[in-house]
Amino acid sequence: LSLPNDFLDPSVPASTVIIAPVTTTMIDSATTNGANITGCQGDFTFDSSVITFASPFVQRAGLTSDPNWNVVANIIGTGTIKTLRISAFMNTLVGLNGSGTCFEVRIRRVSSTVGAMSPLTWAPLCGGNEFIFIDDTLTSYDPTQNNGLVAIQGPPVNIDGTIINCANPVSGPMPNVTLTLTGGASGSTSSDSSGNYL
């Protein structure tokens, strides 16, 4: 189960709710050894000085979009690092089947500081597992869990210029040169017929 990775723009009002998916790999009878997954629960921590969650904190979506799924959450804890406790169960005992979005969280920005970030980190439950699926016999299963991150990101930055041959600048601009951006962001582009890139 994977928590979201999102960037929030500080120019967007703090009251804006960002809907972000919590996703899962394939759940079917083969991946669960025949178990009928009809519930799940888990905790993850977040930095409440950077983000919070809008009520209702989670919502049905994807694999839990059936109206018989109850998906709820509570914020617990004191101090800056808080926990979102999620619980979901199916009234009719029809199990999860498929992959993609399991449910969605409803994120709101608290901080306006560009570069501020909140790790979303699965936190151990009482039994030691971070997130568990539960089948219709109340047996629990511990799936692979991936943490997430929400960061406050400023407006986009443009990098542009013209490629020339330093050894022979008289030869003019160089077209079709591949430029690759690495580091905190990534991307790739090629210079145009005039050697320009953006």
Side-chain angles (χ1 to χ4, degrees):
L1 205 68
S2 298
L3 291 171
N5 290 292
D6 275 313
F7 294 97
L8 305 183
D9 184 337
S11 68
V12 174
S15 60
T16 302
V17 177
I18 306 299
I19 308 297
V22 175
T23 59
T24 183
T25 56
M26 181 56 74
I27 299 173
D28 62 18
S29 59
T31 61
T32 64
N33 294 321
N36 184 33
I37 302 297
T38 57
C40 56
Q41 65 184 37
D43 290 356
F44 68 84
T45 59
F46 65 96
D47 186 335
S48 65
S49 70
V50 178
I51 63 166
T52 191
F53 294 88
S55 183
F57 307 133
V58 293
Q59 62 190 31
R60 292 188 307 256
L63 301 183
T64 60
S65 60
D66 184 312
N68 289 303
W69 271 96
N70 291 297
V71 181
V72 296
N74 290 308
I75 295 174
I76 56 176
T78 58
T80 302
I81 304 302
K82 292 192 170 47
T83 299
L84 189 67
R85 175 162 288 166
I86 301 162
S87 179
F89 64 92
M90 173 55 122
N91 287 333
T92 60
L93 298 180
V94 174
L96 292 176
N97 190 21
S99 63
T101 300
C102 191
F103 53 85
E104 294 170 331
V105 292
R106 298 167 43 85
I107 303 169
R108 277 194 19 232
R109 177 179 58 79
V110 173
S111 175
S112 295
T113 304
V114 173
M117 59 184 65
S118 174
L120 306 178
T121 306
W122 289 112
L125 294 167
C126 297
N129 296 329
E130 293 83 1
F131 185 92
I132 57 172
F133 285 120
I134 303 163
D135 72 10
D136 54 5
T137 68
L138 301 182
T139 302
S140 63
Y141 302 86
D142 186 16
T144 300
Q145 293 119 37
N146 297 305
N147 295 326
L149 178 73
V150 177
I152 308 301
Q153 176 177 291
V157 175
N158 289 327
I159 302 172
D160 59 50
T162 303
I163 303 293
I164 59 170
N165 183 342
C166 290
N168 183 9
V170 179
S171 68
M174 298 180 63
N176 301 318
V177 174
T178 300
L179 298 103
T180 303
L181 177 66
T182 61
S186 62
S188 180
T189 191
S190 296
S191 58
D192 64 17
S193 59
S194 300
N196 299 319
Y197 66 88
L198 174 62

